[in-house]
Amino acid sequence: MRMYDIIEKKRDGENLSKEEIRFFIDGYTNGDIPDYQVSAFLMSVFFRDMSEAERAELTTAMVESGDQVDLSAISGIKVDKHSTGGVGDTTTLILAPLVASLDVPVAKMSGRGLGHTGGTIDKLESVPGFHVEISSEEFVDLVNQNKVAVVGQTGNLTPADKKLYSLRDVTATVNSIPLIASSIMSKKIASGADAIVLDVKTGAGAFMKELGDAKELAEAMVSIGNRVGRNTMAVISDMSQPLGNAIGNALEVREAIETLQGNGPQDLTDLCLELGSQMVLLANKVDTLDEARDRLAENLNNGKALEQFKAFIASQGGDSTVADHPDLLPQASYTFDLPAEKSGTVSEIIADNIGTAAMMLGAGRATKESEIDLSVGIVLRKKIGDPVQKGESLLTIHANTSAVDNVKDKLYASISIADEAVEALPLIYDNIT
Ligand code: URA
Ligand code: CA
């Protein structure tokens, strides 16, 4: 087999066989096939697309290019959740203990990563003592005992995806549905989950800004998951404005605690109940979505979800008293409110720019080497559709410097106030199964 022929076939819009896809992924991973040939191949895929069968084969080949996490020692159906990413997305911090409170095992592998705020692990590390440096055996034991644990990424997972993603980044081939879908799904599948709930975001703060593109990506990922034997569904949710109110690491942990107490922001609570009930259903713990939702809502209100959070934090060395005393979390030295410049209705809060402002305060990493300030960030006081009076606070900035004029400018430029009434945005657009 020759890579030349595989490129030519895809260039002409033909479907590749399983063997051809394996040959390409194996050869690229071990260095036999050079970047220039793979660049040409990726551009052919960009223009010619891939069939559902090809996408599934590509994903499987990428999964098998490296290590795979074996969760078989954990009893029950392991359901993972993946979000395509957004601003202030605090759902994992809430969903992990919430879903575990119904005895669904949550074995979460998570990352630090780049972005507006840290990843789930960074956020959790704002709890004094909490750590994710646990062995694979301990991880499995913790999930079996407590139903929930979070561990950092270990092993050499999907090396083919790492190489392909770097090459796509410099060849203008990132934005291709078959390539994005196989990239995301290969990592989820290699992480060992039996079933997967996807939260595909759409809007200004999302990777897929248009609803149609988000749906297409969701359908592609659901098809791959189901074809490779992992029960998969997707929720398409809004990310035009940030989710919830808090954007920042310790600030999001506080928001997660409030939500687990039943006092969280409405949108964040609703999305967690939606994603959580889909997870509980895929785990076969209930017969209907309504039953799942009722039982999860009950555990937010009766303290069980919060108890589960405390047990989880304590089991990984963290100080679980933060759940009752969130002031023990890192706090910034200064807070500043952003007064509305006119009266009206909030009509736009551009999620991306709010995220950038949080990053300017130090909440996120620009490069892998950057240090995160866990205490800083932004707490929104108003969301789209809310009425506001001139002078009223739109949001609160938490900073460790008093020089925040550039951040304020950025924030003012990201929030619009209309004279007329504005409808609140839908939170969930669609479910794809
Ligand atoms: N995120 C991924 O993991 N892969 C992509 O291709 C795009 C976004
Ligand atoms: Ca949030």
Side-chain angles (χ1 to χ4, degrees):
M1 215 175 278
R2 296 192 311 157
M3 188 61 195
Y4 180 95
D5 301 316
I6 294 173
I7 298 169
E8 186 178 53
K9 216 168 156 184
K10 188 42 75 185
R11 184 200 69 191
D12 295 341
E14 289 174 49
N15 284 348
L16 301 174
S17 70
K18 171 178 175 173
E19 290 71 28
E20 286 164 331
I21 289 172
R22 289 298 166 114
F23 174 84
F24 147 61
I25 288 294
D26 292 349
Y28 187 49
T29 308
N30 68 27
D32 290 345
I33 299 175
D35 279 352
Y36 53 81
Q37 283 192 304
V38 177
S39 302
F41 176 79
L42 292 171
M43 194 57 83
S44 306
V45 171
F46 183 92
F47 283 112
R48 290 296 196 172
D49 206 346
M50 283 183 137
S51 69
E52 291 191 34
E54 284 178 294
R55 294 169 180 189
E57 286 302 344
L58 176 63
T59 305
T60 303
M62 297 206 304
V63 169
E64 292 175 2
S65 72
D67 299 338
Q68 295 178 57
V69 180
D70 180 4
L71 298 178
S72 59
I74 297 171
S75 48
I77 300 173
K78 279 74 69 183
V79 188
D80 203 356
K81 188 261 328 179
H82 177 79
S83 155
T84 58
V87 180
D89 187 348
T90 317
T91 54
T92 300
L93 297 178
I94 299 157
L95 278 172
L98 177 58
V99 168
S101 75
L102 290 187
D103 267 353
V104 175
V106 180
K108 190 80 194 161
M109 243 199 179
S110 206
R112 296 175 194 279
L114 306 178
H116 300 127
T117 64
T120 295
I121 290 179
D122 298 297
K123 292 175 191 176
L124 284 167
E125 281 176 351
S126 57
V127 177
F130 186 91
H131 68 96
V132 293
E133 285 76 27
I134 51 178
S135 68
S136 305
E137 293 74 30
E138 263 181 287
F139 179 57
V140 165
D141 287 348
L142 283 178
V143 181
N144 276 331
Q145 277 164 33
N146 297 330
K147 293 294 163 192
V148 52
V150 175
V151 71
Q153 261 135 20
T154 52
N156 177 32
L157 297 193
T158 61
D161 175 63
K162 290 195 183 78
K163 280 190 87 170
L164 283 173
Y165 198 85
S166 306
L167 190 59
R168 286 166 59 207
D169 215 15
V170 294
T171 55
T173 51
V174 167
N175 214 343
S176 153
I177 296 277
L179 298 178
I180 299 168
S182 56
S183 166
I184 293 175
M185 290 304 287
S186 68
K187 285 175 280 210
K188 281 289 120 182
I189 292 162
S191 305
D194 303 310
I196 301 162
V197 171
L198 299 162
D199 179 13
V200 179
K201 308 283 196 186
T202 187
F207 190 54
M208 289 295 171
K209 308 225 179 297
E210 302 297 328
L211 180 58
D213 294 336
K215 273 192 192 174
E216 207 185 321
L217 178 62
E219 280 162 3
M221 293 195 289
V222 168
S223 160
I224 290 171
N226 289 330
R227 275 175 179 264
V228 305
R230 314 288 171 112
N231 216 342
T232 303
M233 69 80 61
V235 172
I236 300 187
S237 72
D238 185 67
M239 192 39 83
S240 351
Q241 64 182 335
L243 182 66
N245 299 328
I247 303 108
N249 299 281
L251 293 168
E252 287 186 44
V253 172
R254 178 187 275 262
E255 182 171 69
I257 292 168
E258 287 162 4
T259 305
L260 288 164
Q261 289 167 328
N263 301 322
Q266 195 64 49
D267 60 344
L268 181 58
T269 303
D270 285 349
L271 185 60
C272 287
L273 288 174
E274 174 68 24
L275 296 170
S277 47
Q278 298 286 357
M279 291 171 77
V280 173
L281 188 67
L282 285 187
N284 272 345
K285 285 282 175 188
V286 289
D287 294 322
T288 66
L289 267 182
D290 284 344
E291 184 189 349
R293 179 179 283 265
D294 289 347
R295 292 186 59 195
L296 291 172
E298 195 180 319
N299 282 4
L300 289 181
N301 295 322
N302 64 14
K304 284 195 181 156
L306 191 70
E307 281 310 310
Q308 186 80 50
F309 176 78
K310 288 185 193 172
F312 155 57
I313 290 295
S315 76
Q316 295 193 223
D319 178 2
S320 63
T321 58
V322 295
D324 300 313
H325 306 281
D327 288 345
L328 294 171
L329 293 165
Q331 296 196 53
S333 312
Y334 304 92
T335 59
F336 303 96
D337 281 294
L338 194 77
E341 290 173 314
K342 60 180 261 196
S343 298
T345 309
V346 177
S347 58
E348 189 174 46
I349 305 178
I350 304 173
D352 246 358
N353 298 355
I354 305 288
T356 305
M359 194 146 163
M360 288 159 73
L361 292 165
R365 283 187 189 85
T367 71
K368 266 189 277 192
E369 288 71 36
S370 329
E371 285 267 339
I372 281 190
D373 185 339
L374 294 170
S375 67
V376 300
I378 291 161
V379 179
L380 300 175
R381 304 281 164 211
K382 301 285 173 188
K383 302 283 294 250
I384 294 176
D386 287 348
V388 61
Q389 295 298 318
K390 182 176 177 182
E392 212 184 340
S393 176
L394 293 168
L395 55 82
T396 306
I397 298 167
H398 294 247
N400 277 324
T401 167
S402 58
V404 293
D405 284 352
N406 54 346
V407 175
K408 286 187 174 175
D409 290 346
K410 180 93 194 160
L411 290 167
Y412 271 126
S414 316
I415 301 178
S416 309
I417 298 172
D419 295 329
E420 66 280 9
V422 175
E423 292 228 8
L425 294 172
L427 175 69
I428 292 165
Y429 293 98
D430 214 343
N431 283 357
I432 310 282
T433 51

